[in-house]
């Protein structure tokens, strides 16, 4: 029950924060797994890198142009986004520096380990290759936008 | 033995081929380096180092089917020096050991209220006063509302001796084998995490059967030690700013013609004046024997009633300048810890050490000619810095004012009116 209330609050918060269309978010949240394109779109919009009227294709194209683009290029827009790729895009967008190896290499695995260290992920579900339910993407974005450490580590 | 190992590896490798579900994974590497000085050994003193490098891996097919591996190599060494009669330094040599570590190689998962773990795994009691070591076995848990019941059983004879530290008898230390002494263990645990904010109780029972061979018993003049432990443990908040933990352990065992009846109790109490500081005290008292026992670990003895508490593996050692194992020990400590920033913290601690009975304690500084209960008064200042998520180091400096039972070799005794120790730990995980 708590989880459902938490998801509902996050959804409302996300809509009001990013001004994203209800239709797109509804469609996103209805899926079992978050897709790469919409996830990158939400990350880019939350971090102010894409306008609110952008669409998932814009999000995927934006991701390809970033420093982590080589990891995006290994996926198709409609593929499920991996935990590692999501946190890599999120931390990169918000300038979270993280640990020595994350700063030097910046791979999805290091991003997932960093998210685990920050307490964003339960240790039992810390697999950088796993897919993510859509609400977990919103939760992750909320963690970083709300966390005082975001961008200052 | 080799066949079992090969079959196990094949089983692990073939599982992905038989599953249609997605396979998720993550892995990492850790590097731990340590340096401490001075290390005093007989008439020598020097620098000791304990280091380990390891890799861990976790894979998941589903919540009910996961696997984990955690292993590596440890390297311990001592640079030993001495003083000649002319007060000149002499180098006595570098002595080291290298040994493998394999703490995890198991399958685990949960479905509904049930959970399981099978294979090489770490096991421990809730209070950390009986065992903290790897073993090969199976662990089943069931989560019924506010109650969690766990039952498990396993074997210790295939884990690496130096890393597992199953040291109960002199044979365990002296036997010429890379593997630990063969013992079978069975345990039962009851936890009630949500009983109340001030009460998180656990009850733990462990039975250990010693399978040391007749040849080893003869070779090392030891016997088998079968034992049982019952632990009652509780911790929780008292109000908003106080936390406590209380542990009581009773031990019953048989060793040759002797009956062993021992125990240990621990009480910890802390005040949290703010979210970044902590002031606390802790008290440990365990039972001991007089010198009729012979040695700290069970060896050759003619006694028929023994009282010294003896954990299954080395666990919760006390002290920094001199490290005491928890049998035949009474310690009373007070500490203040503060975390001025997210990356830095420090702790100041003082501890009074006594032995509970006028008999053997774990350190070689106490011999059977010594007298008195007071082992020493220690003060330790610790600094912890973790500037990055994957990198950190600790620095400790400690001084021990030794009691009468602490006796150093006469050649260096004059140079150590008090004992002191510096320690440096460095860790990197990625």
């Amino acid at each position: 029950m708590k989880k459902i209330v938490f998801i509902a609050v996050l959804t409302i918060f996300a809509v009001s924060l990013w001004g994203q269309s209800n239709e797109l978010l509804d469609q996103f949240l209805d899926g079992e797994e978050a897709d790469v394109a919409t996830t990158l779109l939400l990350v880019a919009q939350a971090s102010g890198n894409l306008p609110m009227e952008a669409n998932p294709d814009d999000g995927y194209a934006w991701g390809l142009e970033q420093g982590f683009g080589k990891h995006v290029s290994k996926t198709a827009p409609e593929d499920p986004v991996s935990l590692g790729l999501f946190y890599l895009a999120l931390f990169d967008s918000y300038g979270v520096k993280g640990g020595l190896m994350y700063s030097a290499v910046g791979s999805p695995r290091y991003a997932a380990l960093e998210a685990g260290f920050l307490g964003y992920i339960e240790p039992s579900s810390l697999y950088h290759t796993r897919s993510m339910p859509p609400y977990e993407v919103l939760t992750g974005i909320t963690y970083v936008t709300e966390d005082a450490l975001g961008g200052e580590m | 033995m080799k066949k079992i190992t090969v079959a196990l590896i094949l089983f692990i490798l073939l599982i992905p081929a038989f599953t249609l579900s997605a396979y998720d994974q993550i892995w990492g590497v850790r590097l731990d380096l340590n340096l401490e000085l001075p290390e005093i050994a007989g008439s020598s003193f020097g620098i000791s180092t304990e280091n380990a490098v390891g890799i861990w891996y976790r894979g998941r097919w589903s919540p009910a089917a996961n696997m984990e591996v955690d292993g590596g190599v440890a390297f311990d060494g001592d640079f030993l020096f001495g003083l000649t009669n002319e007060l000149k330094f002499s180098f006595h040599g570098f002595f080291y050991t290298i040994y493998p570590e394999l703490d995890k190689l198991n399958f685990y998962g949960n479905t509904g209220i049930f959970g399981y773990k099978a294979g090489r795994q770490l096991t421990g009691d809730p209070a950390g006063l009986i065992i903290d070591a790897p073993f090969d076995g199976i662990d089943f848990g069931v989560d019924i509302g506010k109650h969690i019941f766990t039952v498990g059983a396993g074997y210790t004879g295939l884990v690496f001796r130096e890393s597992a530290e199953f040291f109960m008898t002199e044979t365990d230390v002296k036997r010429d084998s890379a593997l630990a002494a063969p013992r079978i263990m069975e345990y039962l645990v009851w936890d009630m995490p949500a009983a109340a904010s001030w009460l998180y109780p656990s009850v733990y029972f462990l039975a250990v059967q010693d399978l040391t061979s007749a040849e080893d018993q003869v070779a090392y003049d030891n016997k088998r030690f079968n034992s049982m432990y019952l632990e009652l443990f509780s911790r929780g908040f008292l109000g908003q700013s106080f936390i406590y933990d209380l542990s009581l352990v009773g031990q019953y065992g048989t060793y040759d013609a002797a009956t062993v009846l021992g125990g240990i109790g621990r009480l910890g109490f802390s005040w949290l004046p703010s979210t970044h500081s902590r002031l606390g005290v802790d008290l440990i008292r365990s039972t001991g024997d007089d010198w009729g026992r012979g040695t700290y670990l069970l060896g050759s003895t003619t006694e028929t009633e023994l009282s010294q508490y003896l954990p299954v593996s080395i666990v919760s050692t006390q002290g920094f300048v001199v490290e005491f194992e928890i049998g035949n020990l009474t310690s009373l400590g007070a500490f203040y810890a503060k975390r001025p920033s997210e990356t830095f913290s420090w702790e100041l601690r003082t501890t009074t050490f006594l032995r509970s009975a006028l008999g053997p304690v774990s350190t070689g500084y106490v011999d059977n000619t010594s007298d008195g209960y007071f082992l020493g008064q220690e003060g330790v200042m610790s600094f912890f810095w973790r500037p990055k998520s994957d990198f950190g180091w600790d620095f400790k400096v400690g001084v021990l004012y030794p009691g009468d039972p602490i006796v150093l070799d006469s050649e260096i005794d004059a140079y150590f009116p008090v004992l002191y120790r510096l320690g440096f730990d460095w860790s990197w995980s990625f």
Side-chain angles (χ1 to χ4, degrees):
Chain A
M1 187 61 200
K2 279 183 180 175
K3 200 172 184 179
I4 294 169
V5 172
F6 184 55
I7 293 166
V9 170
L10 273 177
T11 306
I12 295 164
F13 178 71
V15 170
S16 61
L17 181 67
W18 304 319
Q20 188 51 261
S21 75
N22 281 324
E23 190 182 347
L24 180 62
L25 272 177
D26 285 347
Q27 193 180 345
F28 179 66
L29 287 167
D30 281 345
E32 287 190 2
E33 295 173 327
D35 64 288
V36 171
T38 311
T39 299
L40 290 174
L41 171 68
L42 294 173
V43 168
Q45 289 181 326
S47 57
N49 286 298
L50 280 180
M52 292 308 164
E53 59 273 18
N55 60 46
D57 288 340
D58 298 329
Y60 184 77
W62 169 82
L64 288 172
E65 294 168 358
Q66 306 306 305
F68 55 85
K70 65 176 181 181
H71 299 290
V72 177
S73 67
K74 296 173 186 171
T75 67
E78 65 278 11
D79 282 350
V81 70
S82 72
L83 184 84
L85 178 57
F86 165 67
Y87 275 105
L88 182 62
L90 188 61
F91 290 160
D92 188 81
S93 304
Y94 278 85
V96 176
K97 292 189 175 65
L100 293 177
M101 290 302 289
Y102 171 75
S103 301
V105 179
S107 72
R109 186 176 67 84
Y110 288 121
L113 289 173
E114 197 66 37
F117 172 77
L118 292 170
Y120 298 167
I121 308 168
E122 287 286 321
S124 60
S125 62
L126 182 56
Y127 298 96
H128 68 286
T129 59
R130 77 167 168 87
S131 59
M132 303 174 71
Y135 78 84
E136 194 180 9
V137 167
L138 300 184
T139 309
I141 294 173
T142 308
Y143 279 146
V144 172
T145 53
E146 294 295 293
D147 197 329
L149 291 174
E152 295 177 7
M153 283 193 68
Chain B
M1 189 59 229
K2 279 184 179 173
K3 284 181 181 174
I4 295 172
T5 307
V6 170
L8 187 62
I9 291 169
L10 281 176
F11 179 60
I12 292 166
L13 294 176
L14 286 175
I15 279 183
F18 291 109
T19 181
L20 296 174
S21 58
Y23 180 75
D24 296 311
Q25 61 183 323
I26 194 162
W27 59 274
V29 177
R30 65 176 191 283
L31 178 64
D32 296 307
L33 304 178
N34 158 273
L35 202 65
E36 293 186 0
L37 70 157
E39 187 70 34
I40 299 173
S43 60
S44 301
F45 56 90
I47 301 169
S48 69
T49 179
E50 294 181 1
N51 314 283
V53 59
I55 186 166
W56 59 270
Y57 174 86
R58 285 195 289 124
R60 180 176 76 171
W61 293 272
S62 72
N66 307 261
M67 66 167 293
E68 60 179 352
V69 182
D70 190 334
V73 177
F75 171 80
D76 298 345
D78 288 297
F79 295 91
L80 290 182
F81 303 90
L83 277 176
T84 65
N85 291 335
E86 294 79 32
L87 295 181
K88 289 183 179 175
F89 277 102
S90 60
F91 180 56
H92 289 184
F94 179 56
F95 305 90
Y96 66 91
T97 55
I98 299 174
Y99 52 89
E101 294 180 320
L102 182 60
D103 288 345
K104 295 177 184 174
L105 177 57
N106 64 65
F107 290 93
Y108 68 98
N110 59 69
T111 173
I113 61 173
F114 299 102
Y116 76 94
K117 184 174 283 189
R120 174 70 53 85
Q121 57 191 286
L122 291 169
T123 187
D125 60 298
L129 295 172
I130 301 173
I131 183 172
D132 179 17
F135 80 128
D136 297 294
I138 190 155
D139 176 288
F140 278 113
V142 55
D143 188 341
I144 308 170
K146 292 182 176 179
H147 305 271
I148 301 171
F149 296 95
T150 309
V151 57
Y155 178 66
T156 65
L158 294 175
V159 300
F160 296 112
R161 187 184 67 161
E162 292 294 332
S163 57
E165 297 184 316
F166 284 111
F167 297 146
M168 304 181 83
T169 68
E170 290 288 317
T171 303
D172 296 343
V173 177
K174 294 174 182 171
R175 64 198 300 268
D176 184 22
S177 171
L179 301 179
R183 292 191 174 91
I184 291 176
M185 303 191 303
E186 308 87 31
Y187 59 85
L188 291 164
V189 195
W190 168 69
D191 287 301
M192 197 175 172
S197 65
W198 61 273
L199 183 68
Y200 177 167
S202 300
V203 178
Y204 178 85
F205 173 79
L206 172 69
V208 183
Q209 294 87 47
D210 194 340
L211 304 181
T212 299
S213 67
E215 292 78 15
D216 278 352
Q217 291 181 59
V218 172
Y220 302 105
D221 194 20
N222 268 197
K223 302 297 178 186
R224 287 176 174 168
F225 178 42
N226 300 311
S227 57
M228 292 187 289
Y229 300 81
L230 179 63
E231 176 179 284
L232 308 176
F233 176 55
S234 180
R235 66 281 205 191
F237 278 88
L238 299 173
Q240 299 230 332
S241 303
F242 297 92
I243 55 175
Y244 81 97
D245 66 88
L246 175 64
S247 321
L248 295 170
V249 180
Q251 177 185 22
Y252 171 79
T254 56
Y255 181 76
D256 197 13
T259 299
V260 179
L261 197 58
I264 186 170
R266 183 179 68 191
L267 174 64
F269 186 76
S270 293
W271 174 44
L272 309 172
S274 72
T275 55
H276 292 97
S277 58
R278 182 172 173 174
L279 178 66
V281 293
D282 43 49
L283 170 69
I284 291 178
R285 183 170 176 82
S286 65
T287 53
D289 286 316
D290 60 25
W291 283 105
R293 176 190 179 85
T295 50
Y296 175 77
L297 298 178
L298 287 164
S300 178
T301 182
T302 56
E303 298 289 314
T304 57
E305 291 183 1
L306 296 172
S307 301
Q308 183 193 298
Y309 177 73
L310 200 58
V312 178
S313 70
I314 294 180
V315 63
S316 294
T317 56
Q318 302 294 305
F320 172 63
V321 180
V322 174
E323 194 170 274
F324 299 99
E325 292 175 33
I326 54 177
N328 192 20
L329 185 70
T330 299
S331 73
L332 176 61
F335 66 91
Y336 178 69
K338 191 166 179 61
R339 192 177 62 169
S341 75
E342 291 295 328
T343 59
F344 176 71
S345 63
W346 57 264
E347 181 187 278
L348 179 63
R349 166 177 282 271
T350 181
T351 311
T352 305
F353 294 107
L354 305 102
R355 51 180 168 175
S356 305
L358 293 176
V361 293
S362 61
T363 174
Y365 296 135
V366 177
D367 63 26
N368 60 9
T369 62
S370 62
D371 202 5
Y373 289 94
F374 177 64
L375 294 170
Q377 182 71 37
E378 183 185 73
V380 179
M381 187 79 200
S382 306
F383 303 93
F384 311 97
W385 188 42
R386 191 163 186 177
K388 295 288 182 181
S389 59
D390 54 357
F391 171 76
W393 64 51
D394 310 338
F395 174 70
K396 289 184 178 181
V397 55
V399 177
L400 178 81
Y401 173 75
D404 289 341
I406 302 284
V407 179
L408 301 184
D409 189 280
S410 58
E411 289 188 34
I412 61 170
D413 185 49
Y415 299 101
F416 294 97
V418 297
L419 298 174
Y420 57 90
R421 194 173 186 85
L422 303 175
F424 182 83
D425 291 285
W426 185 89
S427 67
W428 190 20
S429 57
F430 53 92

